[in-house]
Amino acid sequence: MVRHRQNIDKANKEVYKKKTEVEKNHWRLAYHMAPQANWMNDPNGFIYFNGEYHLFYQHNPYSPEWGPMYWGHAKSKDLAHWEHLPIALAPSEDYDVDGCFSGSAIERDGKLYLMYTGNKWTGDNHDTDLKQVQCLAVSEDGISFNKLTENPIMTDAPAGDIHPNHWRDPKVWKNGEFNFCVLGSKTNDEKGQVLLYRSVNLIDWEFLNVVAKGEGNFGYMWECPDIFHLNGNDVLIMSPQGVKPEGDLYHNLHQACYVVGTLDYEIGVLNHGEFELLDYGFDFYAPQTTIDDKGRRIMIAWMAMWESEMPEQKYGWAGAMTLPRLLTMNNGKLLTEPVPELKALRKKEVSFQNVLIKGEVKLEGVSGHCLEMEVTIDAKEASSFGLKLGVNQQQNEETLFSYNVADEILTFDRRRSGEGPGGIRKAPVSLQDNLLHLHLFIDNSSVEVFVQGGEKVLTGRVYPSVEANEIYFFADKEIKLVTLKKWGLKGVFSELSNDLVRDKII
Ligand code: FRU
């Protein structure tokens, strides 16, 4: 316990020392959660607890590269404004000496429990030489956590066609008298699968079954599973590693998918339908959901991708979270929309109606690096149209969203977006009454586009130069912007959080 506290205090100091320098970087995000300094990956322990949303995340407080994992921590009253909190978990015991890997949170008897994977390297090869176990930490106040003396609470993967070394990322929830937990896993011959357990007391767990498994091109390992009930269906979310590209799909190194079905809690099997992508852009991985006091299912994901170039690393930080997204079910498919609370960040509305566009057009007051925009476009007779963000014509810089009417494809092209990784991603999108509805969030080095009321989403990091802030609409034949609304957005990080960290460490 003492070592855990010391490791946390030392890591907090490191982050605090660097954060003022990091804040100066023009790619810092104004209204997305990102580490104050150094590295962030998966969201962890996302939960509504004592009237506030808590979000933890995989964090290396010592470097903008991945390394020994800590749990960073932030909280929010409204999913729009955030407060950074001191680090919650640090490697400190033999069973988690090389990292507190991903996991989740659950409330029990008024206390907040974090369930996570303890990771230990047993040799130099990080694919084969590792020992993973499942662990618990508990807090009374939601800020300071102690690891349980019973740890590790799960020591070995179950017998059967289950890889003994790769089982991780517990997501825990309550159903009836039992707590349930899913774990990411793979078979011995490298097919992704998810394990289901149950427990009464969170400490003693009974393995029920392999709840779902990938057949065919569905990856060699499924990370970060999550199961929840929505509108009479059970939904499984998972992050399959290594799905191979097929046509326009699966061009990221790893994917984030879902299936909809019915979970038999007695035998532990999910009967489900087709695999669907959760996001069609470049940077979306390891999503995790929670349910709040209003019964809403909210999802947040890491807005980055493994092994993708991250130009912000040279400014001392790396990685960010997507916006919190509200999940609803429509005809057996998930709709994904930004949470409505984000409207509180809007300032300076600019709006247009019935604007005809042909060729390339800029609109008065529609430009910037940090904004929200909603636009409904009537395609009329056009065969190709769209918009360009982050434009600087002198430097030939732009981020392109173009819609092809005949192919029914929306393309996100970041080959000329500035620094960093390029590439093209495509999403199948049908016009509705010949209309395309786009809801965009641009935040200095990120773009999220919600299409046709959340039927599809495309998310990507882009790294434009400071000057590249113009927005153009374009069309090969006349289109009509039926309505367009654009808002500037306020920053969302409270200085209080800095005081809290300062109080704890100085
Ligand atoms: C997913 C993941 C998890 C693991 C964590 C380590 O991005 O690989 O499976 O727990 O990251 O940081």
Side-chain angles (χ1 to χ4, degrees), residues 226-246:
D226 188 351
I227 289 190
F228 54 87
H229 197 71
L230 192 63
N231 278 24
N233 301 284
D234 295 308
V235 181
L236 166 66
I237 280 181
M238 82 307 269
S239 294
Q241 292 184 290
V243 177
K244 298 194 181 62
E246 278 177 21

Side-chain angles (χ1 to χ4, degrees), residues 41-42 58 66 69 101-102 168-169 223-224 285-286 302 306:
N41 59 291
D42 314 356
Q58 290 285 279
W66 188 82
M69 283 293 105
F101 276 17
S102 283
R168 57 177 170 269
D169 312 336
E223 299 188 309
C224 301
Y285 196 63
W302 184 37
W306 289 111

Side-chain angles (χ1 to χ4, degrees), residues 293-312:
D293 61 329
K294 300 175 193 74
R296 301 181 307 169
R297 183 56 58 175
I298 320 274
M299 174 178 73
I300 197 159
W302 184 37
M303 190 163 57
M305 183 49 64
W306 289 111
E307 292 174 41
S308 181
E309 189 192 338
M310 297 176 168
E312 71 265 38

Side-chain angles (χ1 to χ4, degrees), residues 25-135:
N25 180 212
H26 65 292
W27 287 326
R28 288 294 288 173
L29 300 158
Y31 57 92
H32 286 80
M33 175 53 58
Q36 292 182 291
N38 294 322
W39 172 271
M40 161 192 278
N41 59 291
D42 314 356
N44 293 158
F46 189 28
I47 191 168
Y48 188 78
F49 173 71
N50 277 350
E52 293 176 307
Y53 298 89
H54 286 256
L55 177 67
F56 304 82
Y57 53 89
Q58 290 285 279
H59 184 34
N60 181 357
Y62 290 100
S63 156
E65 308 275 341
W66 188 82
M69 283 293 105
Y70 292 59
W71 277 35
H73 187 191
K75 68 174 184 172
S76 170
K77 286 190 177 21
D78 60 2
L79 291 171
H81 299 85
W82 291 93
E83 200 179 307
H84 285 286
L85 293 171
I87 285 168
L89 293 179
S92 62
E93 310 303 315
D94 185 51
Y95 57 77
D96 64 11
V97 65
D98 294 312
C100 300
F101 276 17
S102 283
S104 57
I106 191 165
E107 180 176 349
R108 185 173 154 86
D109 301 331
K111 295 181 189 149
L112 185 57
Y113 285 82
L114 304 181
M115 189 165 173
Y116 68 97
T117 298
N119 191 67
K120 184 174 175 178
W121 306 125
T122 54
D124 293 338
N125 183 334
H126 284 188
D127 192 40
T128 52
D129 307 338
L130 70 168
K131 172 76 185 159
Q132 300 195 319
V133 294
Q134 317 311 327
C135 314

Side-chain angles (χ1 to χ4, degrees), residues 218 250 256-259 274-278 280 332-333 456:
F218 276 101
Y250 314 140
C257 303
Y258 73 94
V259 289
E274 298 288 294
F275 286 77
E276 301 280 345
L277 280 175
L278 280 161
Y280 286 77
K333 299 234 162 107
K456 300 276 156 52

